[in-house]
Each structure stands twice: as structure tokens, then as C-alpha cells.
Amino acid sequence: MFGEFNIPINIDKDSLNISIKKNDKGFDYIRELPNDKIEKLILTENAKILINPVEPLNTPKELTSLLLIEFNKSISIQPGIRKTIFITFPIEIGIFLSKKKDFELFDVFSLSKQKFTLYGDPGVGVVCKYWKSDVFLTLPDINPLYEGFIELKIYNPGTSWINVHKALFKAEGMKIFFDDQNVCMKAKMKVTDDDTAETEFIDSPYEKDMKKAVDIFNAKKLSVSTSKTIMLEGI
Amino acid sequence: MILNKVLFGNMTLSKLFFMLCLIIFWIIIAKVITLYLRKNFKKKLNKDHLEIIIKVVYYLIVVITIIWSLSLMGIKLSGLLVAGGFAGIVIGFASQSIIGNLVSGIFLMIERPMKIGNAVSIDGTTGIVEDIKIISTTIRTWDGFHIRIPNDKIFTTSITNYVSNVVRRFGYTVGIRYEDDADKAISIINQIIEDEPFALKNPAPLIFVDNLGDNSVNIAVKMWSPISEWYNLKNKMLWIIKKTLEENGIEIAFPQRVLWIGDQSIKEKILQN
């Protein structure tokens, strides 16, 4: 269901219904989820909408730019090796309205479970969006309306075994790609010692035919500082 | 020589010229110091407060320079000092509290136990910090009143800053009936907290039987929330817990007294009637 569409349009998929109907002056926009319904009026003669997966940090409220993914089982990594695993991440869906050659965010919502957590202790920690993921060694089977996958390359350059339980990512660096079947990102994690690591997204698709999603932080005209995230409060 | 021409007393034109040069030199030094202060404390201090501090430093240097140069020129300041000392005592007594507030204000700006916009409690006054001035601090209470508190009072009392950390904990005591299953109630409450996005996953919530009260089994419920959300969440969660427990057949206990009548036959007669 991701892509560019002409309006009016009606999309009914899983528990999501998006309806844009013509009225006298423009269009009525109705978006329905099981526990959420919003209605808006679009005053235009002619426009296009873009439906894209976006960074999972906008709903229910934009409190943080960090996403913490906790693994359902810990990963022990031998010193000096690189391994690739797959984990999932929650999807948020952005509805964009066309603006000349550009698109502007109009609505954002999520069908995934929403939860926040604290990374670190209450004195010095940071609030993060929380997601618990299985760890896969092959490409996971996902529903792209709910979740995407991250191909995560973990590197342990040290001299001792390291256990990793979670990964922290910064929204500014998220590079989401999608096709009809999948939503994905690529990232790498360099473990620097027992308790610290560095994560970073890679700006490349998992498969070359995948399209790049609109970067919502750029769409909101927010400045991007750095794409690297340093995990200092445990891994 | 024109430079040796006596103007008055021992004051010659050369001495006057030297005095003026000395004052100009120290004014330049004072300017350099104020530039240094402005550059280095621009981000650390509020702009208004920084300007006040800069002015105080600048005029202090100028006044000291003038007094110093007058004494170098042989102008006796003893009379001035006596008068000044007496005036200083009078002014000192009169402005004791103002100076106290001023000094406290400067220390508060350096220590920064609170910022504008923080929710705080100071000496029994709770509200949002509206402004921190050099002499006083203004608090807007939850009812919308503006309260001005002198800085020396703030400096010597305890300040509770509710928003200095990014998260905070709150809790309830939920009293259920003795015949209800406390394990089931704990499981239900746990699920409610798990389903609420703003109730943090970590630090984990605490739900346990806290005590066996006179009328109820009291379950303590404690959860953490982002600081911007805790108040709304606190107002919302208790009612959700109450409704969900009742939907699952668990009642919130109310005060009750069970009476046992000594003679059982009398009790049976009462029941039959």
C-alpha cells in the first residue's frame, strides 16, 4: 500500500481504513484505526498523496529521537568477528500531500504497539521509543504495515566475548527503504567494550529495487547533527 | 613650562594629565574585562542577569580607579572616607536585605537549582518558575497566582525541582476485597501498565501486595513516566485500573464491619424473621 496515489482514494487493509472523498470545496480525509479515528478537510482542486513508512518516533507523541530495540535473547559475539543478524522495528505510516515537486507530512499513525522506556538510570538516562524484537539469522517474515526489519552487522573488535541485549538508534540517521513486501533498514553496530557500543545506519537498500522512504526529519526541516549513536549505558 | 603650572593646591597640569591617563587606562581594562565576561558567560547566564553583573564589575573598577588616582594626586580622602563610612553604615543597614537578595540571586544563577519553566516547590509554594531575577524569583502557582519570592529566602530553603530528571515515578494504593484474588488483580494491573505507551518499560513498574488493611488487601502500584506525561498519566491510570478490575469481578473495597452475635440461636431467629 506504500507509494504515490491520486485522490480521491479508499484504502482498506487489515484494521486500517483511509478514505479521501471529494466534496464541494475539496476533499474529506478520514483515517480509522481500531481505537483512533481522525477526520480532516483538504482544500484543494487536485493533489496527490504519498504513503510511506516513516521513522517510528512520531506517535503517540514525539518525545524522543531515539529508538531502543531490545533483543528477546542475548547475542554473544566472539572477539574479532563480524556477523549479520536481522531484527525487527516498528513502522509508522506517514501520509504526505503533494506540494509542487515536494511532499509535506499531513498525517502519521501506527498500527504497532507503542511503548517508551528509559535508557540509563533516572538521573542521567534518556527517554527512548521501545521495541522488543526476535533475533533472526535469515530474512524474517513480516507484515510491512506493522513492522520492518533491520539488517544489523555487529562487529566485536575487542579481545573478549561480548553479550549484546539491545541496540539504540538515532532517528536522524534512519534510512528506510521499502517495496511491496518489505520495509527495511541497514545498520551496523561496533561494540567498543563490555558496556558500550556505537550504532549507525547505512544509506543503502537491502535489495536494489527498493524505494527510499521520505525522511520525516528532513520533511519537518529539522537539522541533522550526526547519524551515529553512542551507547554508554549498557548494551 | 605649562605642564608644571599649578591649577589648585599641589595639582599641576602634568598631574591632572597623568590622572586622566590612569583613569582612561583602567576604563579600557574594565571594558576588556566586560567583553571577556560577556563572551564567556553568554550561554551560562540569563542575558539580563549577565548585563547587571557586567555593569557592577565595570562601575566597581571605575570607582576604585577614581579613588585610587585621587589619592595618588595627593587629594586627601580621609574626610570623604569618614563621611562615606558613616553613609555606608546607614546605607548598609537600610539595604541589608537588598544586598542579601542580590548576593543570593548571583549564587542561584551560578548554582542553577532550577530553570525558567521548571515545576518546583519552594518553601510550600508549588508552581512553575516564571522568572529568576537578580533580587527575586516569580512562581506561577497551579491556580494561576504569581508569587514573588525574595532570593535570599530561596537560597536558604529547600527547593524541590519536579522536572530536573527526564522521568519520574508515581503510584497508587489499590484496596481490593479480601475474597478477591490478589494475584489476578496484580496480573490485570500489570497488563494495563504494559499496554500504556507512556508507562515506561524500564525502570520496570512495581505492583505488589503492600499490606493487609482493616478493610482491604492493599496493592501498591508504582510506575515511571516521562516527565512531560506523568501528570496526565497519573490522572488517567487510576480510573482505568478501577474499571478494568471491576470488569474482571474484582471490587474496590470500602470500609465495612462484620458483626458476630454471640448467641447463635438468636442470630438464626433474626435471620428467620
Side-chain angles (χ1 to χ4, degrees):
Chain A
M1 69 168 256
F2 299 122
E4 199 175 316
F5 304 94
N6 289 312
I7 56 173
I9 191 174
N10 188 64
I11 295 169
D12 207 345
K13 202 159 188 182
D14 288 6
S15 53
L16 168 68
N17 179 260
I18 297 170
S19 153
I20 304 178
K21 288 180 186 165
K22 183 101 178 89
N23 63 27
D24 295 342
K25 298 276 174 77
F27 295 88
D28 288 313
Y29 172 87
I30 301 169
R31 186 258 294 160
E32 269 184 284
L33 299 175
N35 295 315
D36 187 23
K37 180 181 178 182
I38 69 154
E39 295 183 29
K40 292 185 179 188
L41 193 62
I42 305 170
L43 294 179
T44 180
E45 294 296 319
N46 186 21
K48 283 185 174 181
I49 62 159
L50 182 72
I51 304 177
N52 262 201
V54 295
E55 299 92 332
L57 299 156
N58 306 283
T59 61
K61 194 173 180 182
E62 196 183 315
L63 286 183
T64 174
S65 64
L66 295 166
L67 171 68
L68 188 140
I69 300 178
E70 188 182 355
F71 307 151
N72 70 340
K73 53 189 166 196
S74 78
I75 305 166
S76 296
I77 309 158
Q78 189 186 335
I81 66 158
R82 290 170 204 269
K83 284 286 172 191
T84 299
I85 58 160
F86 294 91
I87 53 174
T88 60
F89 70 96
I91 290 287
E92 285 184 14
I93 298 167
I95 309 285
F96 298 81
L97 282 176
S98 64
K99 186 185 72 177
K100 294 181 182 171
K101 288 180 184 174
D102 208 357
F103 283 91
E104 196 162 298
L105 185 66
F106 174 69
D107 186 21
V108 62
F109 53 90
S110 180
L111 298 168
S112 310
K113 186 183 173 182
Q114 310 274 1
K115 195 77 178 163
F116 288 92
T117 191
L118 182 73
Y119 177 66
D121 67 61
V124 294
V126 283
V127 174
C128 311
K129 196 78 176 280
Y130 174 84
W131 181 253
K132 188 154 192 171
S133 167
D134 283 328
V135 177
F136 304 92
L137 299 175
T138 55
L139 208 62
D141 186 22
I142 54 161
N143 181 344
L145 282 182
Y146 292 82
E147 56 185 4
F149 70 83
I150 299 174
E151 184 198 52
L152 182 64
K153 289 177 180 164
I154 307 182
Y155 174 43
N156 176 9
T159 53
S160 55
W161 284 80
I162 300 285
N163 291 319
V164 180
H165 306 85
K166 56 192 164 227
L168 184 72
F169 298 104
K170 199 186 272 183
E172 282 92 330
M174 285 183 188
K175 310 292 177 195
I176 301 176
F177 293 86
F178 67 94
D179 60 17
D180 293 339
Q181 306 297 320
N182 284 311
V183 175
C184 76
M185 292 194 277
K186 284 170 91 171
K188 56 186 178 183
M189 180 179 197
K190 183 180 169 186
V191 181
T192 42
D193 65 38
D194 284 358
D195 277 328
T196 58
E198 190 180 289
T199 64
E200 188 180 11
F201 284 105
I202 302 164
D203 191 3
S204 108
Y206 182 71
E207 284 169 353
K208 67 177 181 182
D209 293 337
M210 286 181 148
K211 287 179 187 166
K212 190 172 184 178
V214 174
D215 182 346
I216 206 167
F217 276 76
N218 282 339
K220 286 181 181 174
K221 308 267 187 285
L222 296 177
S223 63
V224 175
S225 49
T226 171
S227 58
K228 281 187 183 173
T229 309
I230 313 292
M231 298 174 67
L232 293 170
E233 301 287 330
I235 55 174
Chain B
M1 282 284 285
I2 193 165
L3 287 174
N4 291 327
K5 189 183 173 187
V6 178
L7 297 173
F8 56 89
N10 291 332
M11 178 63 76
T12 60
L13 201 58
S14 62
K15 280 184 177 179
L16 184 66
F17 181 69
F18 175 71
M19 192 177 94
L20 287 173
C21 286
L22 195 69
I23 292 170
I24 290 166
F25 172 75
W26 277 102
I27 286 174
I28 292 167
I29 295 290
K31 285 277 181 195
V32 171
I33 291 171
T34 56
L35 280 173
Y36 172 82
L37 287 175
R38 190 171 281 122
K39 188 183 167 191
N40 286 280
F41 291 92
K42 193 166 66 181
K43 288 180 182 171
K44 292 176 187 170
L45 290 174
N46 176 296
K47 194 184 166 191
D48 296 340
H49 303 149
L50 182 61
E51 288 304 318
I52 291 167
I53 291 167
I54 285 169
K55 276 179 189 162
V56 168
V57 170
Y58 177 77
Y59 286 113
L60 203 65
I61 293 170
V62 170
V63 168
I64 290 171
T65 305
I66 290 168
I67 294 168
W68 181 39
S69 55
L70 284 174
S71 65
L72 282 177
M73 294 303 106
I75 296 170
K76 290 185 179 176
L77 298 170
S78 54
L80 196 67
L81 286 174
V82 171
F86 181 71
I89 292 166
V90 173
I91 293 167
F93 273 110
S95 61
Q96 195 181 12
S97 63
I98 294 170
I99 301 296
N101 281 319
L102 186 89
V103 173
S104 301
I106 291 167
F107 278 104
L108 279 176
M109 283 169 205
I110 294 165
E111 193 190 344
R112 293 163 73 92
M114 58 191 171
K115 292 177 191 164
I116 292 171
N118 283 176
V120 295
S121 177
I122 302 167
D123 197 29
T125 304
T126 306
I128 301 285
V129 179
E130 285 270 286
D131 201 359
I132 305 170
K133 292 179 187 151
I134 198 90
I135 302 288
S136 65
T137 295
T138 315
I139 305 288
R140 175 167 41 87
T141 66
W142 305 127
D143 297 328
F145 299 124
H146 278 251
I147 296 179
R148 177 189 170 279
I149 307 175
N151 280 341
D152 67 341
K153 193 173 181 184
I154 294 174
F155 196 66
T156 53
T157 193
S158 62
I159 302 170
T160 306
N161 190 333
Y162 296 110
V163 295
S164 60
N165 290 331
V166 293
V167 293
R168 68 161 290 178
R169 193 173 80 166
F170 64 91
Y172 316 106
T173 298
V174 178
I176 60 168
R177 298 176 304 186
Y178 268 87
E179 60 262 40
D180 290 329
D181 182 352
D183 288 333
K184 187 181 170 189
I186 288 171
S187 170
I188 290 166
I189 296 168
N190 203 27
Q191 192 56 50
I192 293 167
I193 294 173
E194 178 63 30
D195 292 342
E196 168 54 50
F198 295 123
L200 297 181
K201 184 78 181 174
N202 273 308
L206 286 174
I207 308 152
F208 55 93
V209 174
D210 190 30
N211 63 68
L212 303 173
D214 289 343
N215 305 297
S216 59
V217 174
N218 293 324
I219 298 172
V221 181
K222 296 170 194 291
M223 68 193 93
W224 290 81
S225 166
I227 202 73
S228 58
E229 307 302 319
W230 80 273
Y231 189 69
N232 288 338
L233 194 62
K234 185 172 185 270
N235 290 342
K236 172 179 142 184
M237 289 297 274
L238 187 58
W239 189 245
I240 294 175
I241 290 170
K242 189 254 183 196
K243 278 200 302 183
T244 314
L245 287 176
E246 286 182 350
E247 282 162 15
N248 286 276
I250 296 169
E251 297 283 327
I252 303 296
F254 50 86
Q256 53 189 291
R257 191 70 69 203
V258 177
L259 292 176
W260 291 92
I261 297 169
D263 190 336
Q264 199 61 26
S265 60
I266 297 171
K267 182 188 170 189
E268 281 164 7
K269 278 181 191 171
I270 291 169
L271 288 173
Q272 280 167 8
N273 291 333

